[in-house]
Amino acid sequence: LLPRPECRYISETSKIAEEVAQERGITVEEVSKDDVNAAVVHGSKLKEMSPKDLDDLLENHDEIVFARTSPQQKLIIVEAFQRAGQIVAVTGDGVNDSPALKKADIGIAMGIAGSDVSKEAADMILLDDNFASIVTGVEEGRLIFDNLKKSIAYTLTSNIPEISPFLFFIMLSIPLPLGTVTILFIDLGTDLWPAISLAYEKAESDIMKRQPRDPLRDRLVNERLISVSYGQIGMIQATAGFFTYFVIMAENGFLPSRLIGLRKQWDDLNNDAVEDTYGQQWSYADRKILEYTCHSAFFVSIVIVQWADVIICKTRKLSVFQQGMNNWVLNTGIIFETALAAFMCYCPGLDTALRVYPLLFWWWLPALPFSALIWVYDELRRYLLRKYPGGWVEMETYY
């Protein structure tokens, strides 16, 4: 028997075997599998199917309606879809639905008509029993997941410019470019507000157009996020810090070639005659003032490149121009971290208490081109993500 047109349970473009057979005047057995993309399976027929038959059914049909199924059969259907690598959502309100609700990736119970047992087994409860609320719940879940990823990506990036000065200090034996106190300023001060502000970012316009994420590959922190944060943006930030460091050192007479291998003399408390590139002698106290000034400058350069970092972390695929700058918690965070950096550098007494020395105005400028580079680079990356979906850039950099 075929359903009346007004009672169709599959889309207009899909056809079940019985419809194809009726159109062509042949038996159902004579219909080719290639001509059918939908199926209706009654519980009595499902009972006779082996797991392999069910797997073949799911693989060869885009739309399937299971009718008059028992609670045990609902569980079998859920397990079959999960074997096929699908994300399964199950709705239910009765005690008999509990096994399927529990087994599903997302169990959805009715808040008004649902039993207490089904609510306990479910992951989501519809308080108004309205299926449209499922879409709202999924969107909110995706938004939370997105914003957590963005916050982690932002936070991880500054680890590279924080670690690399110590690596260069050890490997190249140069005066320490960044101190531990200024690292604490970044991790516990300037980075906190912007990182938290990403939780207030609104959803991207394509958030409900995406396919469900692969639970085995698309984790909260994956290799692509590490690659972008550490291997790309973090490297640009580290370069900005070292450029600022070498600019200040060169301006004071120490060209990069002179700094390599200088650490032992530089940190010698009894050596007050360390010569710079031009033969000028530096006492231990003067050298340390210059070193701590470089610490402050390196710290400020990280703050400046983090401006761009937090802006590019607002979206995973869309342009900043599409998303807008309407997150005023984030905008205020950028102002806050800049003001805090300025306060740490220019507050009287902190040079003695925390060894943070004031900077000349133009020492804030060397990091600005790198901040612009980060923004342009990531805008280009996201443009390629949108223009070539599924391409190499997406496979390697879309986190």
Side-chain angles (χ1 to χ4, degrees):
L1 294 176
L2 296 176
R4 297 191 304 274
E6 66 271 18
C7 298
R8 283 189 67 88
Y9 35 68
I10 56 176
S11 63
E12 294 291 338
T13 57
S14 300
K15 292 183 179 181
I16 61 176
E18 288 78 4
E19 289 177 314
V20 175
Q22 187 182 59
E23 290 176 359
R24 299 180 180 179
I26 59 177
T27 63
V28 174
E29 290 74 17
E30 294 175 312
V31 175
S32 170
K33 290 183 179 180
D34 296 334
D35 298 328
V36 178
N37 59 354
V40 177
V41 182
H42 193 275
S44 58
K45 183 179 178 182
L46 181 61
K47 188 186 302 183
E48 301 171 358
M49 296 176 68
S50 66
K52 186 179 184 307
D53 293 335
L54 183 54
D55 292 343
D56 290 340
L57 177 74
L58 301 184
E59 183 179 352
N60 296 316
H61 296 84
D62 297 327
E63 297 181 42
I64 306 172
V65 174
F66 294 96
R68 311 296 290 178
T69 55
S70 66
Q72 180 61 29
Q73 288 175 328
K74 291 178 182 178
L75 182 60
I76 291 172
I77 294 169
V78 171
E79 291 174 341
F81 274 108
Q82 289 177 332
R83 282 198 305 272
Q86 301 293 329
I87 303 298
V88 185
V90 172
T91 60
D93 55 8
V95 175
N96 292 338
D97 296 324
S98 299
L101 288 170
K102 190 71 174 178
K103 182 65 177 176
D105 297 288
I106 308 173
I108 305 166
M110 303 297 112
I112 299 174
S115 65
D116 291 339
V117 176
S118 65
K119 293 177 185 178
E120 285 291 328
D123 302 295
M124 181 191 300
I125 300 175
L126 301 181
L127 298 179
D128 56 359
D129 283 12
N130 184 355
F131 286 146
S133 300
I134 297 175
V135 179
T136 305
V138 171
E139 181 177 3
E140 194 66 26
R142 289 187 174 190
L143 175 60
I144 292 170
F145 187 83
D146 263 15
N147 287 350
L148 279 172
K149 265 186 173 289
K150 295 170 184 177
S151 184
I152 292 170
Y154 169 79
T155 305
L156 289 180
T157 304
S158 61
N159 287 348
I160 295 299
E162 290 174 355
I163 294 171
S164 54
F166 291 92
L167 297 178
F168 277 65
F169 172 69
I170 295 169
M171 293 188 298
L172 299 181
S173 196
I174 62 176
L176 185 62
L178 181 68
T180 53
V181 173
T182 42
I183 289 176
L184 290 176
F185 290 164
I186 298 166
D187 292 340
L188 303 179
T190 58
D191 269 3
L192 276 181
W193 191 326
I196 294 171
S197 71
L198 288 167
Y200 294 86
E201 192 63 37
K202 67 179 182 180
E204 297 177 50
S205 59
D206 68 336
I207 194 168
M208 292 303 290
K209 298 176 183 177
R210 304 173 193 165
Q211 292 295 317
R213 66 182 181 88
D214 183 349
L216 300 178
R217 192 164 181 260
D218 297 332
R219 298 182 182 274
L220 194 58
V221 178
N222 54 34
E223 68 279 0
R224 286 161 291 163
L225 187 147
I226 296 294
S227 171
V228 172
S229 296
Y230 282 175
Q232 298 172 42
I233 307 302
M235 290 298 181
I236 299 175
Q237 291 193 350
T239 304
F242 279 107
F243 181 70
T244 305
Y245 167 78
F246 286 124
V247 164
I248 296 176
M249 281 293 192
E251 191 171 322
N252 284 274
F254 290 94
L255 296 182
S257 58
R258 178 71 181 100
L259 292 173
I260 297 175
L262 187 62
R263 182 184 65 176
K264 187 174 181 180
Q265 296 180 56
W266 186 275
D267 291 332
D268 186 352
L269 183 62
N270 300 315
N271 189 346
D272 284 329
V274 173
E275 292 186 356
D276 61 21
T277 306
Y278 305 103
Q280 180 182 353
Q281 294 185 340
W282 288 71
S283 67
Y284 178 81
D286 290 338
R287 296 197 305 270
K288 285 300 171 181
I289 290 174
L290 177 57
E291 179 183 324
Y292 297 144
T293 302
C294 288
H295 291 183
S296 302
F298 206 111
F299 158 65
V300 165
S301 72
I302 293 176
V303 171
I304 291 173
V305 290
Q306 284 288 75
W307 295 345
D309 189 28
V310 74
I311 291 173
I312 66 173
C313 286
K314 283 169 59 69
T315 62
R316 293 174 63 195
K317 185 173 284 188
L318 298 183
S319 167
V320 174
F321 295 107
Q322 294 172 295
Q323 183 76 353
M325 290 293 293
N326 299 318
N327 182 352
W328 284 101
V329 179
L330 184 147
N331 298 341
T332 309
I334 295 175
I335 297 171
F336 165 77
E337 67 173 338
T338 308
L340 181 59
F343 173 81
M344 301 304 296
C345 289
Y346 300 113
C347 180
L350 289 186
D351 53 346
T352 303
L354 298 176
R355 296 176 178 175
V356 183
Y357 282 74
L359 303 175
L360 298 177
F361 171 73
W362 53 83
W363 288 346
W364 286 66
L365 304 181
L368 286 175
F370 294 91
S371 188
L373 174 62
I374 288 172
W375 180 76
V376 171
Y377 173 81
D378 209 69
E379 276 290 317
L380 177 61
R381 181 184 68 87
R382 282 174 284 145
Y383 169 76
L384 294 174
L385 286 177
R386 297 190 302 273
K387 187 172 179 62
Y388 303 105
W392 179 86
V393 175
E394 179 170 321
M395 289 189 293
E396 295 297 329
T397 69
Y398 181 62
Y399 57 82

